[in-house]
Amino acid sequence: MHPEETRIYIAVLTAGCILGILIIFLFVTIIRYHRRKVALYLEKILADTQLMEQDRARIASDLHDDLGSSLSAIRLQLDLLPEDSRYIQTVTAARRTIDDAIGKVKQISKNMMPITLKEQGLKEAVVEYISMLPGNNKGKVQLEWNIHEQGIPQNHKIHIYRIIQEVLTNALKHAQAGVIAIQMHHRNNMLELSITDNGVGFDKRVLKRSRKGLGLRNITTRADILKAAVYLNTAPGKGVSYQFLIPLPPLLQ
Amino acid sequence: MPGYTIDIILNHSITIAAVIGVVRFRKIHKDFYPFLLIVWLAFINESLSLALIYTIGSNTVNANIYVLAEYLLLMYQFYRWDGSTAKQLCFFAVLGIVIWAGDNMIFHTLQENNSVFRIFYSFVIVFFSIDRINSLIVWEKKSLQKNAVFLLCIAFLLYYGYKAFLEVFNMFNLPFSYPFYRSLWLSLSVVNCFVNIIYASAILCIPKKQEFILLY
Ligand SMILES: Nc1ncnc2c1ncn2[C@@H]1O[C@H](COP(=O)(O)OP(=O)(O)OP(=O)(O)O)[C@@H](O)[C@H]1O
Ligand SMILES: [Mg+2]
């Protein structure tokens, strides 16, 4: 090369290096700020859902304790009414309505905050939720539960429970499925939760941006809190199948 | 021609990525197949170039055809990554074919080192890479360091950014000597080798299944 050319060549290489350094700097800052963004997001959804669960727990216990006991008191007062053949029909009807109302209050408060979850564990809470499903829906749900729950942190359980609740609600509301199968297994150091229905399915690509419902969003938010990986397999006519891989914290021994 | 050997070794670093692609093929999500195809095509093209340089002394014809294939496959790859940009991608694919035809058939021939299309395609690829990177910043919730799409797009920025920069020298036919141009392309080969290593590590990061994310 001519000496002049060598100088130009060095200039070109320098320009190239500057370009390269800029791009590498871009790479590093993107990764750093993205990590911070994700951490903030996780903090935020954690705070939001905790607040929501606290509110729900409060409303549920208010419903159950205040409204529920008032209704029971009315029921007792009705029992104290003197027998009078003129009013017997009305009174019986009132009793039935009140029994109904007591049942509903119990169910609503259980839906809002499953006491069973705290007292007996995740599996019992899920079984109870299924048993409370209306009509012939109970029979559609198959449960296969193969885990021991000691390893699951208490605050993980409510999120797993909500995910199952939301997926089941969707399956019953949209899928027209004959069977809904829930399976919970251990896989390495993770929980593997799969929920499959054989219903109508939907188009993932359309749904990704549709902003229609809150259900799926709730599911992904909970999964983010659990740091779980979500795989959703579906297509029109092909049913819906979810897989959640939920990492467990290392056992403290 | 010993001057070529270092180029050849550097450019053949694509072999690592190609082999990893073959080994991991069953564990790679379908959405990345266009990129795998590009890697294998690049490997074939490098080998073909080598053979042609030693026989007929020039690899310009296959290189001119290869860049078009690479461009179209990359457009398809961007479509697989994000279907919502289909219209823009189609537009640029067609525009690319027109420019390629003009550059290689009307204004020049396939036997020349044509730069106009290479500058154009580098720009388009860089634009789409930036778009992809920005959408990852917004939507992705897992670590970006191990995100195959992110790594690939950064590699595209590096390689095609530098390539567009160098092709400008070629386009204006500046009165430099042959060794000067050879050294220029050697520097591109160094960048190419670096990028090929990023490709290889990105292929190692490609997941088998795509995680579900909502865009709202
Ligand atoms: N198991 C399923 N089978 C068929 N379609 C489903 C299923 N689950 C969800 N979908 C579709 O996905 C859409 C979004 O579900 P999502 O739970 O987010 O909203 P929603 O159920 O309509 O409303 P919300 O949950 O807020 O009451 C539904 O409108 C439905 O079209
Ligand atoms: Mg729903």
Side-chain angles (χ1 to χ4, degrees):
Chain A
M1 264 193 285
H2 194 272
E4 278 300 306
E5 282 185 346
T6 314
R7 279 182 54 201
I8 295 173
Y9 184 59
I10 289 170
V12 170
L13 285 191
T14 314
C17 284
I18 291 172
L19 199 71
I21 290 170
L22 287 181
I23 292 175
I24 289 167
F25 180 69
L26 181 76
F27 176 79
V28 174
T29 45
I30 286 177
I31 286 183
R32 285 201 18 219
Y33 281 97
H34 179 261
R35 201 182 292 147
R36 224 183 278 174
K37 193 205 90 171
V38 171
L40 282 177
Y41 161 79
L42 284 178
E43 268 170 35
K44 184 176 178 317
I45 56 173
L46 192 62
D48 285 357
T49 42
Q50 260 169 6
L51 212 62
M52 190 172 77
E53 293 294 350
Q54 275 169 15
D55 272 356
R56 279 188 188 174
R58 206 196 62 238
I59 297 171
S61 72
D62 283 359
L63 264 183
H64 188 267
D65 300 350
D66 298 354
L67 195 57
S69 53
S70 303
L71 284 173
S72 304
I74 299 175
R75 176 77 164 75
L76 278 178
Q77 284 156 1
L78 272 184
D79 285 344
L80 294 179
L81 273 185
E83 292 273 337
D84 188 326
S85 56
R86 280 178 300 170
Y87 304 122
I88 188 94
Q89 265 189 328
T90 325
V91 171
T92 329
R95 271 198 198 120
R96 216 178 294 131
T97 317
I98 289 178
D99 283 343
D100 236 33
I102 292 175
K104 270 183 196 147
V105 165
K106 269 194 185 147
Q107 197 183 348
I108 293 172
S109 73
K110 266 203 177 134
N111 249 333
M112 294 192 88
M113 196 63 227
I115 319 159
T116 326
L117 182 67
K118 262 213 182 107
E119 289 172 354
Q120 297 174 47
L122 193 51
K123 183 181 179 183
E124 276 66 28
V126 173
V127 169
E128 186 187 70
Y129 179 72
I130 295 170
S131 72
M132 286 193 319
L133 291 173
N136 59 348
N137 284 335
K138 297 191 234 311
K140 290 181 182 172
V141 184
Q142 297 172 352
L143 188 65
E144 197 184 310
W145 201 269
N146 260 328
I147 58 165
H148 28 92
E149 287 179 23
Q150 306 94 297
I152 312 175
Q154 193 60 37
N155 49 359
H156 273 30
K157 287 184 187 168
I158 183 71
H159 301 305
I160 300 176
Y161 178 81
R162 294 291 184 212
I163 288 176
I164 296 177
Q165 204 177 16
E166 199 64 65
V167 173
L168 274 184
T169 314
N170 268 356
L172 295 172
K173 188 162 139 195
H174 307 290
Q176 299 160 319
V179 188
I180 304 163
I182 306 176
Q183 292 170 329
M184 185 69 126
H185 295 285
H186 281 290
R187 187 160 138 182
N188 306 327
N189 201 18
M190 289 190 284
L191 292 178
E192 181 184 15
L193 168 65
S194 5
I195 308 177
T196 312
D197 71 55
N198 61 353
V200 295
F202 58 91
D203 187 346
K204 253 201 305 195
R205 289 194 177 235
V206 175
L207 194 102
K208 247 176 145 177
R209 311 167 170 272
S210 74
R211 298 167 182 273
K212 260 200 306 203
L214 289 176
L216 280 171
R217 184 162 169 178
N218 194 11
I219 292 171
T220 47
T221 309
R222 304 279 182 169
D224 287 337
I225 294 179
L226 295 170
K227 299 204 168 27
V230 186
Y231 301 101
L232 173 57
N233 217 335
T234 180
K238 293 265 168 66
V240 178
S241 129
Y242 291 88
Q243 189 192 21
F244 299 89
L245 291 178
I246 306 161
L248 287 176
L251 275 181
L252 301 170
Q253 271 156 2
Chain B
M1 34 189 90
Y4 278 115
T5 31
I6 183 84
D7 281 40
I8 288 166
I9 295 170
L10 287 173
N11 286 337
H12 261 85
S13 54
I14 191 73
T15 317
I16 309 170
V19 170
I20 294 176
V22 172
V23 174
R24 281 205 76 214
F25 184 68
R26 292 188 163 281
K27 289 191 183 150
I28 283 177
H29 191 268
K30 280 208 280 300
D31 281 355
F32 287 84
Y33 285 178
F35 176 70
L36 276 190
L37 211 58
I38 293 172
V39 169
W40 292 333
L41 211 61
F43 170 73
I44 293 170
N45 182 52
E46 292 301 342
S47 308
L48 192 65
S49 296
L50 186 63
L52 290 179
I53 284 171
Y54 278 100
T55 50
I56 61 172
S58 152
N59 65 339
T60 31
V61 176
N62 66 309
N64 280 333
I65 294 170
Y66 169 75
V67 285
L68 180 66
E70 182 185 45
Y71 175 67
L72 294 178
L73 278 171
L74 268 175
M75 292 296 105
Y76 182 55
Q77 179 62 80
F78 281 115
Y79 167 72
R80 292 301 298 255
W81 284 339
D82 180 11
S84 68
T85 50
K87 266 189 212 141
Q88 291 96 310
L89 286 166
C90 260
F91 170 76
F92 279 108
V94 172
L95 187 63
I97 293 173
V98 172
I99 291 179
W100 184 87
D103 194 23
N104 288 286
M105 303 197 165
I106 300 169
F107 298 107
H108 308 99
T109 64
L110 271 177
Q111 280 79 21
E112 291 169 82
N113 278 315
N114 301 321
S115 303
V116 177
F117 175 72
R118 284 179 170 83
I119 292 172
F120 165 82
Y121 99 134
S122 301
F123 267 115
V124 175
I125 292 166
V126 167
F127 288 155
F128 279 104
S129 300
I130 292 175
D131 187 57
R132 211 78 281 283
I133 289 171
N134 283 333
S135 99
L136 282 174
I137 294 174
V138 174
W139 304 119
E140 184 57 51
K141 301 199 189 94
K142 299 268 151 65
S143 163
L144 283 181
Q145 270 152 294
K146 289 183 194 150
N147 186 303
V149 179
F150 182 67
L151 291 177
L152 289 179
C153 286
I154 290 286
F156 294 159
L157 274 192
L158 272 174
Y159 180 67
Y160 293 101
Y162 192 58
K163 187 163 174 163
F165 173 61
L166 287 194
E167 288 290 348
V168 173
F169 284 84
N170 215 15
M171 186 168 81
F172 286 99
N173 264 326
L174 298 176
F176 291 123
S177 65
Y178 178 72
F180 178 81
Y181 277 111
R182 284 232 18 84
S183 316
L184 272 191
W185 298 132
L186 180 66
S187 72
L188 184 64
S189 296
V190 173
V191 176
N192 190 14
C193 177
F194 180 62
V195 162
N196 283 342
I197 293 166
I198 303 182
Y199 284 174
S201 50
I203 292 177
L204 284 174
C205 293
I206 299 177
K208 182 169 187 176
K209 286 191 289 186
Q210 210 73 307
E211 279 186 40
F212 178 66
I213 47 166
L214 279 176
L215 301 185
Y216 59 88

